[in-house]
Amino acid sequence: MKKILLITVPLIIAIAACAGAYRAWMQMQTLPSNSLKTIRDSISKHDEENFYKSVDLDAILQTLSEEIVAAQINSETDSTTYSVQDMNAIYAARQPEFFAAAKTAADEYISKGTVTFSPPLNQSQKWLKKFSPASCKIQNISKPVINGGEATTKVEFYNSDLKFSFEIELTLEKVDKKNWRIIGAKNFVDCLPGFNRAMNVKLESLNAPIREKISDTFEVKSFEAKVGEGDSYGFSKTLNLVLKADVKSEKPLAKIVGQVIIDGKDDKQGITPFEIDLAYKPKGLQSFNIDKVLNPFVRADADVMRHGLKKSSIHIEIVEVVYRDGTILKQFDKLPDD
């Protein structure tokens, strides 16, 4: 009897353990995390059928286009000078374009693993080219939080080119006993500041040595600025600048190209380009007059018109030097194509 008991007890424990493991394994197959793994695999294998069965891509891209376009418009325009109707009109024109560009890019990435954009590119395609699905990889997926037939999880993406990460919250819906489907996503807008910072950091690293060479050619020493009269209707005003610079180039110059930058509230900027003709001008320290029309529809310019001039808010930047032999020394205004 003892022998039978000694054999039976371990056997029962082993069977129970196996049964428990099997139940746990079966339960794992019904959790959202298993569906997320299936979706992830379908992307890497370019399995379009399983991907679209498991993801409501249009719903995700709708939210993406709404959040990103709204954030872009808010960062570029001045809500105090544009009416709500104007802002809505800008949004109505750009959001469908962004959705269409994102849809084309996403579909191509799912089917081929690459994203191509044929020129000429519109504004949305230019943005997506640097921030396309092909430029990011899934870094981490958090444990889903289940609430009845719905679950949420956070997915961390990493852009290796710009070296920054961002997090998107996904919503999943249970479709049957084993499978879940992604039906929504949000927090795309939170990735935009990080994206812009990363772009600027990389652009700055490319431009630093170019800026140093420009300074060795044409060095801005100081400037004086004052606000003068504008048009006869009082609609705009003019910013008058006297720029003192040292022309140091041994190589004959044709012109320099610069920009007047005015910092406004909420990180808004007014940027106006200018050119100075340097053909047959002597070397050495000299003064140049630059006039900038203040645009009341640009937030930073409007701030100067309303609240007066703060010299600390004005910057002069030389972005390009053109030599008389046709050669050009120029800062990057966007990241170069790979």
Side-chain angles (χ1 to χ4, degrees):
M1 183 69 177
K2 286 183 179 179
K3 287 183 179 181
I4 295 173
L5 187 61
L6 288 172
I7 294 172
T8 304
V9 171
L11 185 61
I12 292 172
I13 293 172
I15 292 172
C18 288
Y22 178 75
R23 283 195 299 273
W25 182 81
M26 288 299 292
Q27 185 181 23
M28 284 294 294
Q29 305 313 299
T30 67
L31 292 176
S33 54
N34 186 65
S35 292
L36 289 168
K37 182 180 182 303
T38 300
I39 294 167
R40 192 172 183 173
D41 289 345
S42 71
I43 295 173
S44 63
K45 295 175 182 177
H46 312 302
D47 183 351
E48 297 173 79
E49 182 179 354
N50 276 323
F51 177 82
Y52 292 113
K53 188 188 297 181
S54 304
V55 179
D56 187 343
L57 183 62
D58 283 3
I60 293 172
L61 295 181
Q62 182 69 21
T63 304
L64 167 70
S65 61
E66 290 171 355
E67 291 189 359
I68 294 298
V69 170
Q72 287 176 335
I73 292 172
N74 287 334
S75 68
E76 295 165 4
T77 57
D78 180 7
S79 60
T80 63
T81 53
Y82 281 87
S83 68
V84 174
Q85 186 177 359
D86 290 335
M87 298 284 275
N88 287 340
I90 297 171
Y91 174 84
R94 285 174 55 177
Q95 187 272 330
E97 176 193 275
F98 194 102
F99 176 89
K103 173 78 167 138
T104 300
D107 285 341
E108 184 181 356
Y109 185 69
I110 298 305
S111 64
K112 300 178 182 178
T114 58
V115 178
T116 56
F117 294 96
S118 300
L121 305 185
N122 60 38
Q123 186 173 354
S124 299
Q125 290 170 322
K126 288 176 182 177
W127 191 86
L128 287 164
K129 186 174 183 180
K130 289 300 178 186
F131 194 58
S132 67
S135 71
C136 305
K137 69 176 183 178
I138 296 175
Q139 189 91 326
N140 185 49
I141 300 176
S142 70
K143 183 179 179 180
V145 177
I146 304 172
N147 184 14
E150 192 171 276
T152 58
T153 186
K154 293 181 179 179
V155 181
E156 182 185 5
F157 293 88
Y158 180 69
N159 184 303
S160 58
D161 182 43
L162 298 178
K163 294 181 175 57
F164 88 105
S165 60
F166 61 97
E167 199 172 67
I168 300 299
E169 183 176 304
L170 300 178
T171 301
L172 297 91
E173 181 181 69
K174 195 169 187 178
V175 293
D176 54 42
K177 288 184 178 180
K178 289 185 63 177
N179 299 302
W180 295 72
R181 186 169 192 252
I182 298 175
I183 60 170
K186 61 181 182 180
N187 297 342
F188 290 107
V189 69
D190 293 339
C191 78
L192 194 59
F195 169 77
N196 289 335
R197 283 194 299 271
M199 287 277 285
N200 290 334
V201 167
K202 186 160 186 177
L203 204 56
E204 177 64 25
S205 68
L206 292 173
N207 281 330
I210 300 173
R211 193 177 296 117
E212 186 174 343
K213 289 180 181 178
I214 288 176
S215 183
D216 289 339
T217 302
F218 184 94
E219 183 182 6
V220 175
K221 292 293 188 178
S222 64
F223 66 88
E224 296 294 331
K226 65 178 181 179
V227 177
E229 295 300 320
D231 61 76
S232 57
Y233 302 101
F235 184 69
S236 66
K237 292 187 177 181
T238 302
L239 182 66
N240 307 120
L241 296 120
V242 178
L243 176 71
K244 289 186 178 180
D246 189 5
V247 180
K248 301 188 289 185
S249 177
E250 296 294 338
K251 190 175 178 180
L253 300 174
K255 68 176 180 180
I256 64 100
V257 179
Q259 52 189 20
V260 180
I261 304 170
I262 299 180
D263 297 328
K265 295 178 181 178
D266 303 324
D267 296 325
K268 303 285 179 73
Q269 287 186 324
I271 300 177
T272 301
F274 66 85
E275 292 186 6
I276 297 177
D277 184 0
L278 289 176
Y280 306 105
K281 291 286 180 69
K283 286 177 60 178
L285 191 64
Q286 46 200 296
S287 296
F288 304 94
N289 294 312
I290 301 169
D291 291 332
K292 167 184 163 51
V293 176
L294 296 171
N295 185 345
F297 292 106
V298 174
R299 176 65 175 271
D301 287 15
D303 286 343
V304 171
M305 293 175 67
R306 291 178 194 143
H307 309 298
L309 185 65
K310 291 183 180 178
K311 189 175 177 181
S312 60
S313 299
I314 302 175
H315 314 281
I316 304 292
E317 184 176 22
I318 307 303
V319 297
E320 181 180 350
V321 175
V322 180
Y323 297 93
R324 278 166 53 189
D325 64 4
T327 56
I328 297 173
L329 178 61
K330 183 179 181 180
Q331 291 192 51
F332 291 101
D333 56 2
K334 62 179 181 178
L335 295 183
D337 294 330
D338 298 327

